Amino acid sequence: MEVNIMSRDFIKPSSPFPNHPPTYNLSFFDQLAPQVHVPLLFFYPAGADGSKESAGCHERLETLKKSLSETLTLFYPQAGRFVKDDLLVDCNDQGVEFLEAKVNVRLMEFLGEGLNLELLNRFVPWDVGAATSAATPMVAIQVTAFECGGLALCVHVSHIIADGFTGSAFIHAWATASRSGIAAVTRPSFELPSLFPSRDLSAQLNFSLPNVAGAKVFTRWLVFDSATIAALKAKTKPPGSSNNDGRQPTRLEVVISTLWKAIIGATQVNHQGNPRPSVISLPVNLRGRTAIPTPKNACGNFNMLTPTRFTAEESEIELHHLVGLIRETIRNTLSICSKLSNPDEVFSVVVDSLNEVRKASVDEKIEWHNFTSMCGFPIYETDFGWGKPYLVSSAWLSVELVVLMDTKCGTGIEAWVNLNEPYILELEKDPDVAALIRK
């Protein structure tokens, strides 16, 4: 399979400065965010109109460019450039990088049986540059045309000013502008930095992130449909147990617990059968969850990492126990956050939690794994005017991370599991997950 880049351009806002503020100053949430670009891939068939000719693809591309330009007038920080030393984005309207490409296969041929997940990276503009460079765009987009007229659309967004909520809001706004016009788009708010301004973090962060260079990471795509999730729920303790408060676990709780259980088992195998403490970190969206009023459509980073710990004291790893640990962590976090009434309190809680995560990540006696979730975001509603995507996917990442998102029907969960090779090999043997891996 060959992907050829046909053109590279920059799409700028249709209404440039001075119609928006000249800078976007980082909030302390933005300061704490990973300084990387995050890819999300959307695959669209040729459509009912059968637009297979180059003219049909050309029309789609022109519609995408025009609507993107209009959307950037609202999401103006995405068209700027990051100035690291000043902790801000210069909203200079330099634009979003837009790549057009062609691939010499048909869409369903590529997505059919035997999909090589590594090939997903051919549709990602990885060469956009370091996220911290002043020359790097905040967003890069690659649109690749298949021989059949289908499209792969990758949105590669800098995490520095966009969490999952913001990235999803940007994509949804762009699709709405393309399909229905810019007037139908809900205007985002960029007020978070005024509520939670940047701070000197030098004395606050006690642990650096671990150096993972050289680790060989593999990706596996697992699909938990509604029947599988129901069967896994049945494996947890019946209602009334102290671990699940008499309630059935949510689908997200049971999927995370199942994957965590498999990872703990893989860890034990790779350490001569000896159980080891395990910590997973989960992001919690803070919109509407503190006592500080914030706009419903607040864009930027506005979440916190929460660590959940398994102590390895039990000889058997029970699914219901892991569900209980995750539920308790999230419940306690939300309870604490609901009482936070000023930015100083929020900052203290967020940094303390992050330090706990980072401490676990550098402790050689603890296995640490990072989860993130896009469940609940309308990614499968991303209709640019030619229908909803056939598939939305992550990519083959170079870091250990488990990415969760809703299935197309909305009742299941897809897991894009990126782990070091020894863990992947054992994960493929786990009875609860082996059959769920898409080949």
Side-chain angles (χ1 to χ4, degrees):
M1 186 185 83
E2 293 184 6
V3 176
N4 294 311
I5 304 299
M6 309 305 293
S7 68
R8 304 178 79 114
D9 198 2
F10 286 94
I11 307 299
K12 300 182 179 182
S14 58
S15 299
F17 180 79
N19 293 326
H20 59 68
T23 61
Y24 169 87
N25 297 303
L26 267 61
S27 71
F28 63 70
F29 287 99
D30 296 325
Q31 283 179 276
L32 298 171
Q35 295 181 333
V36 296
H37 282 73
V38 180
L40 194 62
L41 284 155
F42 300 81
F43 293 91
Y44 294 90
D49 60 358
S51 301
K52 300 180 182 180
E53 299 83 4
S54 59
C57 288
H58 176 76
E59 183 179 344
R60 288 187 181 188
L61 285 166
E62 291 306 306
T63 300
L64 286 172
K65 292 178 182 179
K66 180 179 182 294
S67 56
L68 176 59
S69 178
E70 293 170 338
T71 304
L72 289 173
T73 64
L74 302 180
F75 288 81
Y76 57 90
Q78 307 294 356
R81 296 296 183 267
F82 179 49
V83 184
K84 184 176 182 179
D85 291 342
D86 295 335
L87 295 177
L88 59 81
V89 173
D90 182 0
C91 300
N92 51 21
D93 295 334
Q94 288 192 22
V96 165
E97 189 163 17
F98 193 96
L99 290 76
E100 297 179 33
K102 289 185 177 181
V103 61
N104 62 341
V105 295
R106 301 172 67 86
L107 175 62
M108 299 315 296
E109 177 186 348
F110 172 72
L111 294 177
E113 290 293 327
L115 170 61
N116 183 345
L117 297 184
E118 282 190 273
L119 294 180
L120 290 171
N121 284 8
R122 305 277 184 90
F123 303 102
V124 180
W126 291 112
D127 61 349
V128 65
T132 54
S133 169
T136 300
M138 305 305 294
V139 178
I141 291 162
Q142 180 174 323
V143 181
T144 306
F146 289 84
E147 288 183 339
C148 58
L151 294 178
L153 189 153
C154 178
V155 184
H156 206 198
V157 180
S158 172
H159 207 327
I160 293 173
I161 58 169
D163 57 10
F165 175 95
T166 301
S168 175
F170 171 69
I171 296 167
H172 184 71
W174 179 21
T176 300
S178 176
R179 184 181 68 253
S180 304
I182 192 64
V185 174
T186 301
R187 182 176 292 271
S189 166
F190 293 99
E191 297 177 27
L192 288 176
S194 64
L195 297 171
F196 308 102
S198 59
R199 302 187 178 210
D200 180 5
L201 301 179
S202 57
Q204 306 297 330
L205 296 179
N206 300 328
F207 302 92
S208 300
L209 290 173
N211 183 4
V212 294
K216 193 172 185 180
V217 175
F218 286 77
T219 300
R220 294 294 181 267
W221 172 29
L222 286 71
V223 178
F224 294 78
D225 60 22
S226 57
T228 299
I229 290 174
L232 290 170
K233 285 182 179 182
K235 291 186 176 183
T236 63
K237 279 193 174 181
S241 73
S242 59
N243 284 325
N244 62 17
D245 299 330
R247 294 186 290 120
Q248 283 286 318
T250 66
R251 62 193 181 104
L252 196 56
E253 287 171 342
V254 78
V255 167
I256 294 173
S257 298
T258 300
L259 291 170
W260 190 15
K261 180 174 178 289
I263 290 171
I264 292 172
T267 300
Q268 190 167 338
V269 170
N270 283 295
H271 288 85
Q272 294 74 48
N274 298 317
R276 285 167 60 89
S278 178
V279 172
I280 60 171
S281 60
L282 302 169
V284 173
N285 182 3
L286 295 182
R287 292 167 179 82
R289 287 172 166 165
T290 73
I292 303 173
T294 55
K296 183 179 180 181
N297 56 340
C299 287
N301 287 286
F302 196 25
N303 58 36
M304 63 179 287
L305 287 182
T306 58
T308 302
R309 179 183 295 265
F310 172 76
T311 61
E313 294 175 352
E314 297 185 22
S315 57
E316 294 293 331
I317 309 166
E318 298 289 350
L319 190 60
H320 71 83
H321 178 56
L322 300 181
V323 168
L325 292 176
I326 292 169
R327 177 170 293 174
E328 182 179 7
T329 296
I330 301 302
R331 181 180 57 199
N332 290 344
T333 299
L334 295 180
S335 176
I336 292 170
C337 288
S338 68
K339 300 178 178 67
L340 302 178
S341 58
N342 66 69
D344 289 338
E345 293 176 346
V346 174
F347 179 75
S348 178
V349 168
V350 169
V351 169
D352 285 350
S353 185
L354 180 58
N355 275 326
E356 191 174 346
V357 169
R358 289 190 169 193
K359 181 181 180 180
S361 71
V362 298
D363 190 332
E364 294 182 353
K365 297 180 180 179
I366 295 176
E367 293 293 323
W368 170 72
H369 295 279
N370 197 15
F371 283 67
T372 190
S373 172
M374 295 196 71
C375 293
F377 297 145
I379 56 176
Y380 271 103
E381 300 299 313
T382 308
D383 180 0
F384 289 91
W386 48 78
K388 298 176 182 180
Y390 176 82
L391 175 69
V392 181
S393 81
S394 180
W396 184 290
L397 303 181
S398 60
V399 295
E400 288 197 299
L401 177 67
V402 178
V403 181
L404 305 173
M405 58 183 71
D406 293 325
T407 54
K408 188 174 184 177
C409 64
T411 59
I413 291 178
E414 297 183 5
W416 295 84
V417 181
N418 306 273
L419 292 173
N420 288 344
E421 183 176 19
Y423 296 92
I424 284 292
L425 293 176
E426 293 304 322
L427 194 76
E428 292 176 330
K429 302 174 186 176
D430 187 276
D432 286 330
V433 302
L436 308 178
I437 298 175
R438 288 295 177 95
K439 302 296 186 181

